[in-house]
Amino acid sequence: MAFMAKKRANGKGNIRKRKDGRWEGRYTAGYNPDTGKRIIKNVLGKTQAEVKQKLAAAQQESEVLDVSRTEEYTVATWLKSWYELYAKPNV
């Protein structure tokens, strides 16, 4: 019986082991409003479990700020968003 890799669900990114021994997770952080192409980012780690955790956190963070709407943000709306997401939970 041949071993088959598990497929991750759409939108969950992908994880692979690099030649240098580290694990890499890639995900779509949004789309470029001018070209419509995906903005792909990555996270690195020593173990697959570490990358899964980093990947989930990075995807959650990228969902909060919609890069396709950056022209609509003002400094005030960005500061309110920053305060609610980052400062308030840590204070």
Side-chain angles (χ1 to χ4, degrees):
M1 178 178 226
F3 173 74
M4 294 186 63
K6 292 182 181 179
K7 182 170 169 54
R8 296 177 58 83
N10 282 342
K12 296 295 181 185
N14 66 5
I15 297 175
R16 70 181 184 100
K17 191 167 187 178
R18 295 165 37 132
K19 288 181 182 179
D20 63 5
R22 294 185 295 171
W23 288 86
E24 176 185 33
R26 289 181 164 205
Y27 65 100
T28 300
Y31 293 87
N32 184 325
D34 296 331
T35 63
K37 291 184 178 182
R38 293 186 310 162
I39 299 170
I40 299 173
K41 296 199 174 187
N42 69 341
V43 293
L44 297 172
K46 291 182 180 182
T47 65
Q48 186 177 14
E50 179 185 357
V51 170
K52 277 184 182 179
Q53 188 176 24
K54 285 182 178 181
L55 186 61
Q59 286 177 320
Q60 186 177 12
E61 188 176 309
S62 73
E63 288 175 3
V64 174
L65 294 175
D66 184 3
V67 292
S68 65
R69 294 182 21 202
T70 54
E71 294 175 0
E72 298 174 21
Y73 287 120
T74 63
V75 174
T77 56
W78 184 85
L79 278 173
K80 285 178 188 175
S81 174
W82 171 82
Y83 177 74
E84 291 296 323
L85 295 172
Y86 301 104
K88 192 175 181 180
N90 295 323
V91 174

